Amino acid sequence: MISLSNLQRIILGLLAVLLFSCSKSDDNNNDGNYFIRAKVNGELVEFNQTAIANKTTKTITGTAFRNMQNNFPFFSFDIESDNAISAGTFRENNYSFIMIFRYGLGVDELFHSQMGEEEDFLFVVDRITNEVAEGSFQGTIRNAYNSSQSIAITEGRFLLKVVP
């Protein structure tokens, strides 16, 4: 069952995705150098439009879309910590920070890492600067509207342009 706190995080994450998607400047449109990609149930999926990250000292939010004309499909993630975000490993079962990964196929098809009993989602931030965020991820995500539907995310990688 989804808690009110998790629902608030999902809603805030969706708002962040929508805010990113409304920004259609040429700076956010890239040539594929930046991306979020992963194997989704064994099939490689890559998004390289508006592949950006926003960061503060204690948070990082990343988003990437397939095309500039549609908000779906997308990958996005948020990591929030009481301490400064830096290169390192972030596990979903470590409660010293908040982490969520999302895969959106449509308004009614939103999968994320905070559904279900699994706490297996893993992020590794290899590099984070004022210019780029890079790393890997893997784990299980579930449908926000039907938690019996799960997706295995493997071999995930991201290289995102950090924008102010």
Side-chain angles (χ1 to χ4, degrees):
M1 178 174 219
I2 190 165
S3 71
L4 182 59
S5 176
N6 285 341
L7 183 59
Q8 289 172 328
R9 288 186 195 111
I10 291 168
I11 291 169
L12 287 174
L14 285 173
L15 288 173
V17 167
L18 291 173
L19 287 173
F20 286 142
S21 68
C22 291
S23 176
K24 302 287 186 184
S25 74
D26 289 339
D27 290 341
N28 291 341
N29 185 8
N30 63 61
D31 59 7
N33 291 332
Y34 301 103
F35 60 86
I36 300 177
R37 70 173 159 241
K39 286 193 176 177
V40 176
N41 284 338
E43 181 181 335
L44 182 63
V45 176
E46 180 171 339
F47 302 134
N48 58 13
Q49 296 297 309
T50 316
I52 58 174
N54 282 62
K55 75 176 193 73
T56 66
T57 303
K58 297 181 179 185
T59 64
I60 181 170
T61 300
T63 306
F65 298 90
R66 177 159 289 149
N67 64 62
M68 296 296 290
Q69 289 73 38
N70 194 342
N71 291 337
F72 296 99
F74 70 85
F75 282 139
S76 73
F77 66 86
D78 297 292
I79 301 172
E80 179 182 337
S81 176
D82 290 334
N83 302 311
I85 299 283
S86 61
T89 301
F90 298 86
R91 295 183 182 277
E92 189 174 16
N93 61 2
N94 181 339
Y95 302 112
S96 64
F97 53 85
I98 299 166
M99 178 182 74
I100 186 168
F101 178 83
R102 293 173 212 83
Y103 177 43
L105 295 171
V107 174
D108 295 330
E109 286 188 280
L110 175 65
F111 291 80
H112 65 86
S113 62
Q114 290 189 340
M115 291 293 297
E117 298 299 315
E118 301 93 356
E119 290 187 330
D120 67 340
F121 217 85
L122 169 72
F123 260 93
V124 177
V125 177
D126 297 324
R127 176 173 59 137
I128 186 166
T129 68
N130 289 331
E131 290 79 36
V132 297
E134 181 177 17
S136 61
F137 56 91
Q138 66 180 16
T140 304
I141 57 177
R142 292 194 170 272
N143 189 314
Y145 305 103
N146 180 357
S147 64
S148 67
Q149 293 180 336
S150 67
I151 293 176
I153 301 291
T154 58
E155 300 178 38
R157 294 284 312 155
F158 63 93
L159 175 61
L160 302 172
K161 178 180 180 179
V162 173
V163 296

